[in-house]
Amino acid sequence: MITGRTNTVNWLNALSEMNFPYWTIYWKGKTDSGHFVFKSSQEDGFSMSDSLADLRNKLNMLGYGQYTIIAQSKPGNVGKGAAKEDFEVTTLESQQSQQQPNIGAVQQPVNMAGYVTKEEAMELAEKRFKEMMLQKENDDLKKQLSVVQKEKAELEKEADSGTTRIINMVAGIVEPMLKPAVAQVGTLGMAPVADPAPVVIDQNDMAARLEKVLNECEEIFGQPAIPFLEKLMEKVKAQPFMVSMVKNALQ
């Protein structure tokens, strides 16, 4: 039988070459009961260094008593080839553990005899397990939030660039049509030298130009021109800042 927490950790460390990171602690003589006191992580890839650190922390939670530890290379139920050893935690070690507690460790309730009962040990183990699960859930939520925020930023960036590109392309189509009207408006307020010549609108020419613009719009955007322009106007009306952007593009 091994005596002391340190020697128990050293026993598991001696199994490092065999890679036995998964362990279970029972009360001595109770290994077949199915009720364990503490158990290591059962996650695949659990390393020996993490296993030793976990065992050291769990042993610090044990009071005086005799126990059995079983170590193996794979998670799950105890299989063939597992290593088994009895160990004892002394009263002296319990006192030393209380004098030098780990920062952040759960303090075990000690009864008047100086050791914890089986029920107390089980309660401590369950409490520690719940704390570990809550911490894992918190870490997972933080990771998910980070991914969502990153995707949101990328979508906003793509949306902004797409809107700007559409406005610039539409402005390039509309600009040639509006220049004559803009030039005419720019002359308002000036004293006329002579009566302006009547404006003659060639309906056929306007129809041909409109048809050309609609065809080009459909070719560029790959969808029917009129429904597309209607959607664009709804977008501009819903977001007034886009009006100034279009106007600036036409200057």
Side-chain angles (χ1 to χ4, degrees):
M1 175 182 292
I2 298 174
T3 301
R5 296 180 178 84
T6 301
N7 290 333
T8 304
V9 173
N10 291 338
W11 172 83
L12 182 63
N13 188 38
L15 302 176
S16 296
E17 294 183 359
M18 301 174 65
N19 193 28
F20 276 13
Y22 303 100
W23 48 262
T24 306
I25 296 176
Y26 299 90
W27 289 95
K28 184 182 177 182
K30 301 294 183 179
T31 55
D32 295 332
S33 67
H35 300 293
F36 61 86
V37 179
F38 286 122
K39 178 176 284 191
S40 69
S41 169
Q42 298 298 295
E43 182 179 358
D44 289 336
F46 193 51
S47 67
M48 280 300 302
S49 59
D50 291 338
S51 176
L52 290 168
D54 190 22
L55 177 61
R56 190 176 294 108
N57 290 333
K58 296 293 174 45
L59 289 175
N60 285 335
M61 298 170 63
L62 293 179
Y64 172 79
Q66 293 183 345
Y67 308 87
T68 299
I69 182 172
I70 299 177
Q72 57 189 26
S73 60
K74 297 180 179 180
N77 296 329
V78 177
K80 294 182 178 180
K84 179 180 178 181
E85 185 63 52
D86 296 330
F87 69 95
E88 181 179 22
V89 175
T90 66
T91 304
L92 177 60
E93 277 203 319
S94 298
Q95 294 173 350
Q96 292 174 344
S97 175
Q98 294 170 17
Q99 293 172 358
Q100 299 177 346
N102 289 341
I103 297 176
V106 178
Q107 298 298 311
Q108 68 266 31
V110 181
N111 58 28
M112 296 302 294
Y115 60 89
V116 296
T117 64
K118 178 179 179 181
E119 289 74 16
E120 290 171 337
M122 292 295 293
E123 182 180 351
L124 285 170
E126 182 178 358
K127 182 178 180 181
R128 180 57 178 165
F129 177 76
K130 290 180 178 179
E131 290 177 351
M132 293 171 64
M133 292 302 296
L134 287 174
Q135 182 63 44
K136 184 177 184 302
E137 291 177 1
N138 185 47
D139 293 341
D140 291 343
L141 288 174
K142 288 181 179 180
K143 292 179 181 178
Q144 294 175 8
L145 178 60
S146 176
V147 172
V148 171
Q149 289 176 338
K150 183 178 179 180
E151 291 178 349
K152 178 176 178 291
E154 291 177 353
L155 288 174
E156 290 178 347
K157 183 179 180 180
E158 291 177 0
D160 291 342
S161 62
T163 301
T164 302
R165 181 170 58 85
I166 291 174
I167 291 175
N168 290 338
M169 294 177 69
V170 173
I173 296 173
V174 177
E175 183 176 5
M177 299 175 61
L178 297 183
K179 274 188 176 180
V182 173
Q184 183 177 355
V185 172
T187 62
L188 295 178
M190 298 176 61
V193 177
D195 292 336
V199 178
V200 179
I201 299 176
D202 188 339
Q203 297 295 335
N204 293 331
D205 180 62
M206 289 295 294
R209 292 169 59 189
L210 180 58
E211 182 180 2
K212 181 176 180 296
V213 170
L214 294 177
N215 289 336
E216 291 179 347
C217 180
E218 185 169 340
E219 291 177 1
I220 293 174
F221 295 101
Q223 54 183 294
I226 292 179
F228 171 77
L229 293 175
E230 288 175 344
K231 292 179 182 178
L232 179 62
M233 292 306 299
E234 292 177 359
K235 182 79 171 180
V236 171
K237 287 189 294 183
Q239 302 185 43
F241 73 91
M242 296 178 65
V243 176
S244 60
M245 293 175 63
V246 175
K247 287 181 177 181
N248 292 334
L250 297 177
Q251 293 179 355

